Amino acid sequence: MKTSLFISLVLTTILCPTLLAQDEAKESGLPKVLIIGDSISMAFTPHVARQLDDKAAVMHNKGNAQHTGTGLEKLDQWVGDTHWDVIHFNWGLWDLCYRHPESKVQGRRDKVNGTITTTLEQYEENLDELVSRLEKTGAKLVWANTTVVPEDEAGRVLGDDAKYNEAAARVMDRHGILINDLHSLTKTFAADHFDGPGNVHYTQEGYRKIGQQVTDHILRALESEQKVSGDEK
């Protein structure tokens, strides 16, 4: 199944009714969780929301968070005036992608003739600013590092995922942010967990496994937050 169709079906059949249930959960006083990220996070969010149905109200930012430049522009809009208990966030695959206006490949990806979306140096600088702004929300923050770039990906260079993750790790270390290592997880995936050769997207089973690890990290963050709140009483 094509990635775009799969994501559309997932969001239609799972996310919408789940979020309606989560809206009801918000009114019951459950902790609030915001997931920020690209299409990969859009696809695993329903799995997370379902697993946390009676433990937290899970929301995803409106639309696709794309790259860090988009994040800088829209972060305030996504966060809004909600008091979030946990924010799980990621940028990267869009940042390290090369695109060319004349490319016929989906997303105009072209790692041979294209231009990179965000340089490594700018990526680290943008992330530092984004984390500083997220810290002001008072939420417990969880960074998800970038998932693996497979061989023969049309717009992404093999190995750049590791370089961008190293830059992100420096930022998270400076700010003391918990890292959810999705790169190591997806690096272990068999070919049948990917949506096709050279595709950075996953099958439903792949997203289920990613969603499980995201859920585990969010629960850990919630427990940490509740412990701190308890100690302050």
Side-chain angles (χ1 to χ4, degrees), residues 67-68 90-93 95-96 118-130 143-146 161 163-169 171-172:
H67 50 79
T68 52
N90 166 263
W91 289 275
L93 283 179
D95 290 274
L96 58 82
T118 312
T119 65
L120 187 60
E121 294 74 19
Q122 189 64 55
Y123 177 71
E124 185 168 351
E125 183 178 320
N126 287 354
L127 267 186
D128 196 78
E129 181 177 342
L130 285 162
W143 165 254
N145 65 10
T146 298
D161 45 351
K163 295 176 183 178
Y164 277 66
N165 280 338
E166 288 172 1
V171 174
M172 303 310 147

Side-chain angles (χ1 to χ4, degrees), residues 184-195:
S184 292
L185 172 66
T186 54
K187 197 172 182 179
T188 68
F189 281 5
D192 61 2
H193 278 39
F194 290 85
D195 201 35

